[in-house]
Amino acid sequence: MKTRICLGVKLTKTMNDMAIGEVGLVAGMTYTGALRRRLQDIGICEGTEVRCVQRSPLGDPTAFFIRGAVIAIRKEDLRGILIE
Amino acid sequence: MRRFRDEGGETITVALAGNPNVGKSTVFNALTGLHMHTGNWAGKTVSNEQGRCVYNGKEYILVDIPGTYSLLTCSEDERVAEEFLESGEADAVVCVCDATCLERNLNLVLQITEITDKVVVCINLMDEARKKGIEINTSLISERLGVPVVGATARSKKGVFEILSAVDEVILSGGAKAPQYGEEIEAAIEKLLPQSGKRHTAVEYLIGQREATAEIFKIKEELAEKGLTEEKIRDLVAETLVHTAESVCSGAISYKKEKSDERDRTLDKIFAGKWTAFPIMLLLLAGVFWITVVGANYPSEILGKWLFALEGPLYSALSALGLSDFFCRMLSEGMYRTLAWVVSVMLPPMAIFFPLFTLLEDFGYLPRVAFNLDRAFKGCNACGKQGLTMCMGLGCNAVGVTGCRIINSPRERLIAMLTNCFVPCNGRFPALVAIITMFLVPSDGAGGSLLGALVLALLIVFGVMMTFLVSKLLSATVLSGVPSSFTLELPPYRTPQFGTVIVRSVLDRTLFVLGRAVSVAAPTGIVIWLLANIPAGDASALSQVAAFLDPLGKFIGLDGVIILGFILGISANEIVLPIIFMSYMASGSLAEIGSLTALREVFLQNGWTVITAVNTLVFFLLHWPCATTLLSVKKETGSLRWTFAAFLIPTLTGFFTCFIIYSVSKLFLG
C-alpha cells in the first residue's frame, strides 16, 4: 500500500513506506494468527514507536529500531503494519 | 532430556532464561567456569546446557536454556526453553536481560513470573549500556517487579555471583508480581487455576496455545460472548505485557545520549550499505583466509620437520622392542605418518581460522551477513536465517545442521540442513588451501598467498551460489511451499575480547584436532597401510580398490585413489588429503616428505593436472557430508529418508558438476 491522496482522502501508510531515518507510531496490524503474535513478541502493537534505520543492500529486508532493539522485517510482512 | 545429577537435596537447580543474544551463555560460563561457545547472534544456544557451580558452600546446577522472545509463541528451538521452564525442575529462574534493550526483554520476564514467583532478573551488558549513556535504576525496577534485580557485566565477571545470592533470597521468599490483564480475563484465569495450576498455563488455554478441555472451552465461550474472543484475548495479553514493561521502565531508565545506538548505525551503514556490503563481505572472507594461510605456513613447516623426522626413530624404537618388521612399519609408516600429516598440515590452519571466525561471531557481524543475503534466500523460497546457518557451516557442518533449529518452518529448516555442507567446514579448509597453493597459484612470493586467499574466497562464493541453486531446486520440487515470515534481530556490535577468545579458541581447536587425529586419522592410516601392503592377487589390496574405483573417478576428472580418499574421509574431512597422499606413496617411490613441493611432485607423478586439481576442489565442496554431520541430520529430522537425501544431494551435485567441468575442459584443451 502506498500513501496516496485520492479524492482528498489520505490512504493508509504502512511500515513498508517509511524512509530511512523516519520515525512513526504503529496504528495497528492487518495480520491475524502466527505473524501477528510474532510481531507482538518483539514489541509491535498500537502506539509503539518505530524508527526505520537500514535497508538491506539487495533492497529487502528493512531494519527498524523497536523498543531498544533492531529487527529486520521483510517487505511483505511490513505491508500489514499501519503507521500514523 | 538429560537427567540431572541428584546429589541429595542440597543442590539448587537454576534455569538461565532470557531473550536471544543477551549474554546468557556468558553468564553461564562465568558462573560454571565452563567454556561453552558463545557468539553474538540470536540462536547460538539451541539446547539445554548444564553446569555446576559451588558458592558459599552451596551447590548450584545451572541450566542454560535457548534464548526466546516469548513463551507464548514458540518456534522449535524456543519450545525447548518453554518445556524446561514449565517442567518445574528449576528451583529458581534467572532471567538475563540486555541493559541496552531492557523494555523489550521484560516481556519474557513478565511471562516467566506467571510460571513461578522465584525469579531473579539479571541485567547484563551494563558496560555496553554505560558506553551508550544508558543508566538504569535497578532498585526501582526491582520494586515494581517484586523480584531482586542484579546488574552485571558477565564478560568481566562483574555481578555474577551476586545473582546466586539473589537466588538464595528468592527461594526463601519469592515475590514476583505477575501482569494483570483486566477484570474479566483475570476472573477467567481464577476459574482455570485449579485445572491449570499456573497462571501461564491458564493464559495459554485462553489464547488457544493449548488444547482446551470441555470445561475450559465453556469458560472461553463465556468470555467470547462478552466480546473477548481468542484473538482479542491474544491482543490484550500482548498489549498488557508491552504496556506493563513500559510502565516498569518509565522513569527508571535515563538516556544521556540522544541516539544511543549511533555507533551501531554507522557500522551498519558500512557492513550492510548498498555499495559496501558485498565488497566488504568478500574482502573479509579473503582477509580471514589470507591471515590463516600466512599464519599457518610457518607452524606447518616447523611441525612437519619435527614430526616427520621422528618417524625413523619410532621405527627403530619399535623394532628394538622385538616387534616384527611388518608391525613396526605399520605403526610408523602407516599410523604415525598419517598422524604427522594431519597435525602438521591440517592443524595450524584449523587452529587459526576458528579463532578468527569466533572473533567475527562475537563482534556481531554474522547477522548482518544474513541481513544482506536474505533477499537471495527469499528468491529461493528459503529463510534468510539460512545465511546464519551457512556461516555456522564454515566452522563445522554438524554445528550448522543443529543450528538450523533457529529456522521456524520445517520445510525451510530442511532446505538449510540439506545444503549446509556446500560451504566447506574447518576440516576441508586446509586441503583446499594446499591444493590451491600447489596447482592454482604461481609458487613463492607473498603475491602467492594473497592470490591463494582470493581464489579460496571465490571458491566459497561458488559454494554459496550452489547453495542458492540447490535450495531453489529443492523448494521448486520436493520441498515446495510459500516462504514464511521471519524477523531477524541485528544485535549491537560488541568489541570481542581478543585475548581470551584467541587463547581459548586456539587451545580448544588444537585439542579437538589432536583428539580427532588420534581417534580417526591414526586408525585410518593403519587401514590404508594394510591395504597397501597386504598382497591380493598380483597387486596390493589398495591398488585393487583404487583400480576398481578408477573408471568412476576418471569419468569426472578424478581418479580411483581420490575417490577412495573421499570415501574414507567420511569419518573426518581432514584426513582426505593425507589418505590420497599415503595411497600414492604406498605404490610409489619415497620422496622427501613434509613439504608442499614434494607433495606436488607425488601428485604430478600420479597423473594430476590442473583440471584434476580444480575438480578435486569442486568435489571437496560438493560431496557427501561427514559422518558427524549425517548423524546430526538424523537426530534433527528423525528421518532416515532425509538423512539419505542429505547424503545423496551433495554427492549427485558434485558428480554432475565435476563431470561438466571435465567434459568442457576436454573439449577445449583436448
Side-chain angles (χ1 to χ4, degrees), chain A:
Chain A
M1 285 189 272
K2 297 233 190 281
T3 314
R4 291 194 295 275
I5 311 270
C6 177
L7 297 175
V9 177
K10 189 152 81 161
L11 294 173
T12 36
K13 178 174 177 167
T14 70
M15 263 175 91
N16 194 36
D17 305 317
M18 289 175 75
I20 307 280
E22 201 182 320
V23 179
L25 282 176
V26 174
M29 282 193 275
T30 60
Y31 304 118
T32 54
L35 179 55
R36 188 188 184 94
R37 282 181 281 167
R38 186 146 282 275
L39 292 171
Q40 283 169 339
D41 276 344
I42 57 177
I44 297 182
C45 65
E46 237 180 82
T48 306
E49 185 185 280
V50 297
R51 169 161 58 101
C52 182
V53 293
Q54 183 80 27
R55 208 169 310 269
S56 167
L58 296 177
D60 193 37
T62 315
F64 289 84
F65 194 78
I66 304 169
R67 293 185 184 277
V70 176
I71 315 267
I73 309 176
R74 282 179 177 167
K75 204 184 292 192
E76 307 81 65
D77 302 330
L78 290 173
R79 287 205 186 108
I81 309 175
L82 310 167
I83 295 285
E84 60 188 355

Side-chain angles (χ1 to χ4, degrees), chain B residues 12-17 60-63 84-85 88-95 112 116-120 163 166-168 170-171:
Chain B
I12 303 174
T13 308
V14 179
L16 271 180
Y60 301 86
I61 296 216
L62 295 166
V63 184
F84 182 72
L85 289 172
E89 291 220 33
D91 298 313
V93 180
V94 172
C95 195
I112 294 181
T116 165
D117 63 346
K118 314 244 185 279
V119 179
V120 170
I163 299 176
V167 165
D168 289 337
V170 115
I171 287 187

